[in-house]
Amino acid sequence: MKEAQTIRQLLPLLKPYPWVIPLIIILGLLSSLSEGLGISLFIPFLQSLEQTTSQSVSSNLLLNFLNQLFIYVPSNHRLLIIPLCIFGSVLLKNCLSYSNAILFSWLYSHISYRLRSSVFKQLLNVSYGFLDSHQSGKLLNTLATETWRACDALSVLVDLIISACTVFVFVMLLLLVSWQLTLLVAVALILISFSIQQVSRQAKQLGKQAVQANDHLANRMLEGFYGMRLIRAFGQESYEQKRFDQASAQVRNTSMKLDQLYATIEPLSEVLSAALLLCILVIALLQDRATLPTLLTFIFILYRLQPKVKQLDSARVNLNALIPSVEDVMSFLDCSDKPYIRSGRTSFKGLKQAIYFESVSFRYNPLDKPALRNVSIQIPRAKTTALVGSSGAGKSTLINLICRFYDITEGEIYVDDCPLRQLHLADWRSRIAIVSQDIHIFNTTVRENITYGRLEATEDEIIAAARQAHAQEFISNLPQGYDTQVGDQGIRLSGGQRQRIALARAILRNPEILILDEATNALDSVSEHLIQKAINTFSQDRTVIAIAHRLSTIEQADQIVVIEEGRVVEQGSLQHLLKLNGMFAKLYHLQYRSVLT
Ligand SMILES: Nc1ncnc2c1ncn2[C@@H]1O[C@H](COP(=O)(O)OP(=O)(O)OP(=O)(O)O)[C@@H](O)[C@H]1O
């Protein structure tokens, strides 16, 4: 049964609360029992109307039990006592159902919270390699939509359990009232259930299509957000609108089909059930085996059973439609098939001599060509190392490996004499700050953006960092100073201002190793001058690794590493490399000198 498979997948979610589902089942059973008892009490009540109770000794266990209940109640009091008992059981049933609903809402909110948190944690921990190979829209859809749908599956599961409890109790009652009629009902119910099964199969198919359509739509939304400038600049609004509408139409069509499918369940179930009820009534009356009160009670129980069976069927169909969402979230949370960057145990006390690359090779994917090949370099402490090379040479890859965003495929990186992989990851990264060209500015205040470098920094430290990054002046001219909201991606700031905020963030972190990925796009000369000045002061006595695009960085570097097609082709000081008259000298004269002339 597919439902059983889904339930098994949902079980890990329930693990932290092992007592809740048994409690829900017990409450569900008790509530069904009290409802069943309330309905059954109509038999002695109707019999007392006929005033036949005292003489009736039936072979029916249930009837005898109910008669025994009121044997000591004088018949003229029964008309009052029995309705009171019926009311009592209705009251009890509703109290138990209410408790179950409250318990479930508690469980639902706790589990959905845990699930969202686990999905986000997975997103933060899984290796970049995994993220690279998945579309961000798909990941966003998993986090934003499928997580909710997976929680809905849990809610449907609980509906299923409660309905199953009620159906179980009511079927037991029916058996006690008349097993022959119950058998007839059972055969008919199986037939009804079989027709619902067909609907259920279709629902699962549609559920899969719905997940795909949602993934696709989320992708289009993301592309729309991030590509907004490009779309407008290239006048592609109508093209993008068309692509978005197509993705949106797919979502509309699948969700409409799913809704239509859900809508068929109720009428289908009701028509088949009505036919069933009428058949039973006719058969029972023709056979004249049941007394009228018993028959009425049987039909009344059956009547109350109908919505429960319908609920059970809807729950099964819904559960099937939600299986793809559960699978999507569970497979994302499954740690066994994903790469992770594991932290080492050695704590990092500070760089003493150098970072050594020893015959390091790396490829992003096993089938890709290597991004770094057999790289052996030394990055000495408290010196500036400039990485130079043409686009796609492997400079950023080298930085990625130093930050351990990826793990090397061959060779070893040593921090002094300790392999990088053995260092405590958070320790190591806490000593690094990156000022990169693709700065991320959070949509919050200037202060929060700077404080991201060190969350516990004091106001004075924040201002000092901003001053050092030459950002204090423009920040104090902003409408609310440090409390100014900078907009999405810092849209309300200029490129140079964003860079200075990013620099202030790095300065506040007070890193031992500073990684600079210099902007290739030209900033205005004032901004560039200010940023360069700030970086120069800040770089003193720090280990700086710079992907160098500016002549000044190259000229101030203690060593230059030239990378081409993943290999280190030249290495040494500026003078040494110029004397070699090789690749760097060519690049230097062509690219950098031309900047001066
Ligand atoms: N996430 C990735 N997945 C797969 N391949 C990648 C990834 N990032 C980079 N590459 C590939 O690795 C090689 C080196 O790229 P890298 O980004 O290190 O170059 P780079 O020297 O920093 O270039 P640029 O100066 O243009 O930024 C390129 O062939 C690139 O296509």
Side-chain angles (χ1 to χ4, degrees):
M1 278 241 300
K2 290 286 175 202
E3 290 88 348
Q5 203 181 320
T6 320
I7 292 169
R8 227 173 293 131
Q9 285 198 305
L10 286 170
L11 287 182
L13 294 179
L14 296 163
K15 220 171 169 186
Y17 316 103
W19 48 273
V20 178
I21 290 294
L23 191 56
I24 284 179
I25 294 177
I26 291 171
L27 286 174
L29 277 174
L30 288 177
S31 136
S32 315
L33 271 175
S34 56
E35 186 179 359
L37 182 71
I39 297 172
S40 310
L41 286 177
F42 275 94
I43 300 178
F45 179 66
L46 292 174
Q47 281 175 337
S48 57
L49 285 180
E50 287 180 339
Q51 299 198 329
T52 55
T53 332
S54 46
Q55 306 94 9
S56 69
V57 176
S58 162
S59 60
N60 188 307
L61 274 176
L62 180 71
L63 293 189
N64 279 339
F65 167 72
L66 293 170
N67 285 334
Q68 291 300 314
L69 276 183
F70 300 100
I71 199 145
Y72 298 113
V73 179
S75 48
N76 53 343
H77 287 168
R78 282 184 197 166
L79 281 179
L80 181 68
I81 299 290
I82 299 178
L84 276 178
C85 290
I86 293 175
F87 178 73
S89 46
V90 169
L91 196 68
L92 182 64
K93 181 246 163 186
N94 281 288
C95 287
L96 290 166
S97 303
Y98 177 71
S99 316
N100 229 354
I102 296 291
L103 181 65
F104 177 66
S105 78
W106 179 88
L107 180 73
Y108 182 87
S109 43
H110 278 71
I111 285 186
S112 58
Y113 166 79
R114 283 179 74 96
L115 202 58
R116 284 194 303 274
S117 170
S118 310
V119 170
F120 195 64
K121 188 172 172 195
Q122 178 77 307
L123 205 59
L124 290 182
N125 286 313
V126 74
S127 144
Y128 263 104
F130 175 82
L131 299 178
D132 287 345
S133 57
H134 286 75
Q135 289 186 321
S136 357
K138 161 136 198 52
L139 298 173
L140 181 72
N141 182 42
T142 301
L143 183 64
T145 313
E146 303 312 326
T147 312
W148 284 110
R149 285 171 58 87
C151 293
D152 287 345
L154 195 75
S155 141
V156 173
L157 173 66
V158 168
D159 276 352
L160 195 101
I161 292 174
I162 295 174
S163 310
C165 290
T166 318
V167 170
F168 172 76
V169 169
F170 279 27
V171 168
M172 284 299 143
L173 279 177
L174 287 179
L175 276 172
L176 286 172
V177 175
S178 161
W179 64 266
Q180 298 93 331
L181 286 179
T182 311
L183 268 188
L184 197 71
V185 170
V187 172
L189 277 182
I190 288 168
L191 288 179
I192 294 178
S193 174
F194 182 74
S195 8
I196 302 290
Q197 184 102 35
Q198 306 307 313
V199 181
S200 194
R201 261 194 216 123
Q202 276 186 45
K204 180 161 184 220
Q205 269 306 322
L206 278 174
K208 261 192 196 147
Q209 288 173 21
V211 172
Q212 280 167 2
N214 286 336
D215 284 352
H216 191 47
L217 184 65
N219 245 334
R220 292 264 55 87
M221 283 180 185
L222 274 187
E223 299 274 4
F225 271 135
Y226 293 123
M228 192 60 82
R229 271 168 175 270
L230 185 81
I231 295 168
R232 294 187 189 199
F234 279 72
Q236 296 290 19
E237 290 90 340
S238 54
Y239 174 64
E240 280 304 325
Q241 181 72 51
K242 204 166 131 198
R243 291 212 293 177
F244 182 86
D245 288 347
Q246 272 169 357
S248 173
Q250 246 177 327
V251 172
R252 177 198 61 201
N253 293 345
T254 43
S255 67
M256 195 169 67
K257 278 188 202 157
L258 261 179
D259 287 344
Q260 285 169 355
L261 204 63
Y262 291 147
T264 52
I265 300 166
E266 200 157 326
L268 184 69
S269 207
E270 202 161 317
V271 169
L272 293 174
S273 311
L276 168 70
L277 269 181
L278 289 172
C279 282
I280 289 167
L281 196 67
V282 172
I283 292 170
L285 286 176
L286 283 179
Q287 288 194 345
D288 197 24
R289 293 193 59 145
T291 58
L292 194 61
T294 316
L295 184 61
L296 283 178
T297 311
F298 187 90
I299 287 178
F300 194 33
I301 297 176
L302 204 55
Y303 179 75
R304 291 292 297 147
L305 182 63
Q306 291 311 308
K308 311 292 174 191
V309 174
K310 256 192 278 174
Q311 261 174 25
L312 199 66
D313 287 334
S314 310
R316 279 174 54 204
V317 174
N318 286 342
L319 205 55
N320 270 307
L322 293 170
I323 287 176
S325 301
V326 177
E327 284 173 351
D328 186 70
V329 174
M330 291 305 165
S331 95
F332 182 67
L333 287 179
D334 184 6
C335 299
S336 62
D337 59 349
K338 290 177 193 65
Y340 291 89
I341 302 290
R342 309 256 171 227
S343 173
R345 288 163 182 258
T346 314
S347 60
F348 177 61
K349 300 271 186 312
L351 189 64
K352 293 182 186 69
Q353 287 167 340
I355 302 168
Y356 304 95
F357 275 61
E358 287 194 0
S359 311
V360 170
S361 296
F362 174 75
R363 35 181 114 224
Y364 283 96
N365 290 302
L367 298 178
D368 288 357
K369 67 179 178 60
L372 288 183
R373 301 162 200 248
N374 206 20
V375 170
S376 295
I377 53 165
Q378 231 190 76
I379 299 169
R381 181 190 167 273
K383 301 265 191 281
T384 296
T385 300
L387 305 177
V388 175
S390 46
S391 178
K395 305 176 295 289
S396 307
T397 305
L398 205 123
I399 300 290
N400 287 342
L401 296 184
I402 292 176
C403 298
R404 275 201 79 196
F405 293 149
Y406 300 84
D407 269 337
I408 49 176
T409 333
E410 277 170 50
E412 197 68 80
I413 300 174
Y414 290 94
V415 176
D416 296 325
D417 51 0
C418 177
L420 178 57
R421 276 186 277 199
Q422 287 180 16
L423 283 186
H424 191 270
L425 190 59
D427 245 20
W428 170 243
R429 287 196 184 146
S430 72
R431 308 295 183 97
I432 301 177
I434 306 180
V435 179
S436 105
Q437 49 178 313
D438 51 336
I439 302 156
H440 185 82
I441 298 284
F442 293 99
N443 186 357
T444 172
T445 60
V446 171
R447 177 183 285 100
E448 277 186 59
N449 268 294
I450 298 179
T451 320
Y452 205 77
R454 188 154 51 88
L455 298 179
E456 63 284 0
T458 63
E459 186 71 12
D460 287 347
E461 287 172 326
I462 296 169
I463 294 173
R467 240 190 217 120
Q468 216 182 324
H470 293 280
Q472 169 68 8
E473 196 185 326
F474 89 80
I475 295 174
S476 49
N477 285 333
L478 290 173
Q480 278 100 34
Y482 281 87
D483 293 317
T484 308
Q485 292 283 341
V486 294
D488 207 13
Q489 298 280 343
I491 194 92
R492 293 191 201 127
L493 302 173
S494 75
Q497 289 172 338
R498 281 202 287 267
Q499 284 218 341
R500 275 178 275 166
I501 290 203
L503 188 60
R505 186 193 284 166
I507 290 173
L508 191 65
R509 194 165 177 79
N510 192 19
E512 212 183 315
I513 300 161
L514 176 66
I515 294 175
L516 298 172
D517 184 356
E518 289 181 350
T520 42
N521 53 328
L523 290 170
D524 65 279
S525 50
V526 178
S527 289
E528 173 148 5
H529 172 71
L530 287 176
I531 290 166
Q532 196 58 50
K533 213 167 116 188
I535 288 178
N536 289 348
T537 325
F538 183 56
S539 301
Q540 277 161 18
D541 295 327
R542 286 175 214 274
T543 310
V544 179
I545 308 159
I547 295 182
H549 292 287
R550 295 193 190 107
L551 185 66
S552 56
T553 315
I554 291 176
E555 287 179 338
Q556 279 164 21
D558 298 287
Q559 71 157 345
I560 299 163
V561 177
V562 187
I563 307 175
E564 272 319 313
E565 293 190 2
R567 291 180 204 281
V568 174
V569 287
E570 284 170 12
Q571 187 177 356
S573 67
L574 178 67
Q575 307 314 326
H576 172 73
L577 294 186
L578 287 177
K579 245 186 240 159
L580 274 183
N581 204 18
M583 173 85 103
F584 175 78
K586 232 187 279 171
L587 241 153
Y588 182 78
H589 291 301
L590 265 176
Q591 197 171 329
Y592 301 107
R593 273 296 155 202
S594 64
V595 177
L596 285 185
T597 55

